[in-house]
Amino acid sequence: MAAENSAAETGRPLVLHVMPQITSPVTTQVIMRNVLIAMAPTVIAAGVLFGIRALVVIAVAVASCVGFEWLWCRLRKIPNTVDDLSAAVTGVLLAFNVPSTMPLYMVVIASFVAIVITKELFGGIGFNFANPAVVGRLFLAVAFPVAMTSFVAPQVALSPVDVVSSATPLAASAQPLSYLELLLGTHMGVLGETCAATLLLGFAWLLYTRTITWHVPVVYMGTVCLLSLLVGRDPVAQLLSGGLIMGAVYMATDYSTSPSTLRGKIVFALGCGLITSLIRFWGNLNEGVAFSILFMNLLVPHIDALIVNTPVGGEARKRGGKAHE
């Protein structure tokens, strides 16, 4: 009754919701806008390295993801969520996970898998069980493996590229590359995993705007580097090669599919790093980032259930109870 009177006095409706009851002036749109800004340098780098075809792939992926979300909302007659920019972020991330030679119709199919199947069928943003871009990439890897490994030499290269024998830096047949080549992305690969410098620049922006915290990316990448040292691999090359930075910074930090507690995030990141290293070092695949993130996404509900924060004052009450006993 007191709550009803208080609501009547303030003129605002009383809204009851399950915990946690967190309020913040930062909206989903602001968060997604920051992510898009962080990815902009890599979009530019992809255009410089792989030409106009790379920008077309990115544009088609974004348009498809936004279009499928808009169409879903219209067909379901629910409020349109396109304005929150989450579908645009998924589109850019999905494009970052494919080569510039990817047939456009395959990009559209992967967008459908990412938005409709992975996201909307489970309730929309905040309810998806895994990162939509990760699922879209893995779908393409299984359904169209040849297209996903049809790489072209970049238009800008610091050294001659043997198109026949060279692939991504993680491939067994790949030519040795300098750290500078790995940092600038002047080698073959998918659009978002080549230029490590722009990915790190975006990471700095996300930290500066407090869009993400450092825990998941640093622990994830640090785990891979540490395990690389233990097995005699070059940790810097492992860090700058493949999709490790892209996955650790832009996909493993997804709010909906990562743990809500600090300790949970660390466990999540350790798991991602361990699985990525196992696949890279002893698996039949060159890369394990997407598989590791998906596997740990599935474990997030269990991590959240096992690792919970102590309520404010809980430790004091606990100590006081023991003292009275």
Side-chain angles (χ1 to χ4, degrees):
M1 182 65 69
E4 293 177 357
N5 293 336
S6 177
E9 291 173 359
T10 59
R12 293 179 297 178
L14 177 64
V15 178
L16 300 179
H17 199 278
V18 296
M19 297 184 294
Q21 298 153 352
I22 303 174
T23 61
S24 171
V26 180
T27 64
T28 300
Q29 186 183 65
V30 171
I31 293 171
M32 296 303 165
R33 184 187 62 200
N34 287 336
V35 176
L36 288 172
I37 293 173
M39 294 189 293
T42 304
V43 171
I44 296 172
V48 172
L49 292 169
F50 299 105
I52 190 67
R53 186 63 167 72
L55 299 180
V56 171
V57 170
I58 295 173
V60 169
V62 173
S64 299
C65 287
V66 172
F68 282 128
E69 183 156 317
W70 178 86
L71 184 60
W72 174 268
C73 293
R74 288 296 302 269
L75 293 176
R76 292 276 296 158
K77 297 181 179 180
I78 58 179
N80 199 299
T81 55
V82 170
D83 291 343
D84 65 17
L85 301 179
S86 61
V89 169
T90 298
V92 177
L93 279 177
L94 181 61
F96 279 1
N97 280 274
V98 303
S100 62
T101 56
M102 198 72 188
L104 299 181
Y105 79 90
M106 295 182 185
V107 176
V108 175
I109 295 174
S111 299
F112 176 83
V113 172
I115 293 297
V116 177
I117 296 180
T118 311
K119 180 181 177 182
E120 298 299 341
L121 284 180
F122 287 87
I125 186 170
F127 297 95
N128 44 292
F129 69 96
N131 186 288
V134 169
V135 177
R137 172 181 177 136
L138 293 179
F139 167 80
L140 289 174
V142 173
F144 309 107
V146 175
M148 282 291 286
T149 54
S150 297
F151 304 111
V152 295
Q155 297 180 354
V156 180
L158 299 182
S159 60
V161 179
D162 185 348
V163 179
V164 176
S165 64
S166 180
T168 62
L170 292 174
S173 61
Q175 301 172 348
L177 297 174
S178 67
Y179 292 161
L180 183 60
E181 289 174 305
L182 293 173
L183 190 65
L184 298 180
T186 57
H187 56 81
M188 294 183 180
V190 300
L191 299 182
E193 70 179 20
T194 53
C195 189
T198 56
L199 293 171
L200 292 173
L201 181 62
F203 181 32
W205 169 257
L206 293 176
L207 291 178
Y208 173 75
T209 56
R210 298 185 179 181
T211 304
I212 64 172
T213 63
W214 61 268
H215 304 89
V216 169
V218 171
V219 173
Y220 186 173
M221 294 185 287
T223 301
V224 174
C225 290
L226 178 60
L227 293 176
S228 299
L229 281 173
L230 293 178
V231 300
R233 303 292 182 100
D234 185 346
V236 178
Q238 290 295 321
L239 174 63
L240 299 179
S241 301
L244 179 56
I245 298 177
M246 177 179 64
V249 174
Y250 300 96
M251 295 190 289
T253 54
D254 179 25
Y255 288 13
S256 303
T257 57
S258 60
S260 56
T261 65
L262 176 57
R263 288 181 297 167
K265 291 179 187 296
I266 293 174
V267 171
F268 174 82
L270 286 171
C272 287
L274 176 61
I275 297 171
T276 298
S277 300
L278 290 174
I279 295 175
R280 280 189 175 188
F281 302 155
W282 295 288
N284 293 325
L285 300 174
N286 295 325
E287 181 60 283
V289 170
F291 284 101
S292 67
I293 294 175
L294 176 60
F295 184 79
M296 293 307 297
N297 283 165
L298 298 177
L299 292 181
V300 166
H302 303 288
I303 294 174
D304 280 336
L306 293 173
I307 303 176
V308 296
N309 285 330
T310 302
V312 177
E315 286 295 330
R317 289 195 298 270
K318 185 177 180 181
R319 289 193 299 269
K322 290 182 177 180
H324 288 304
E325 291 176 1

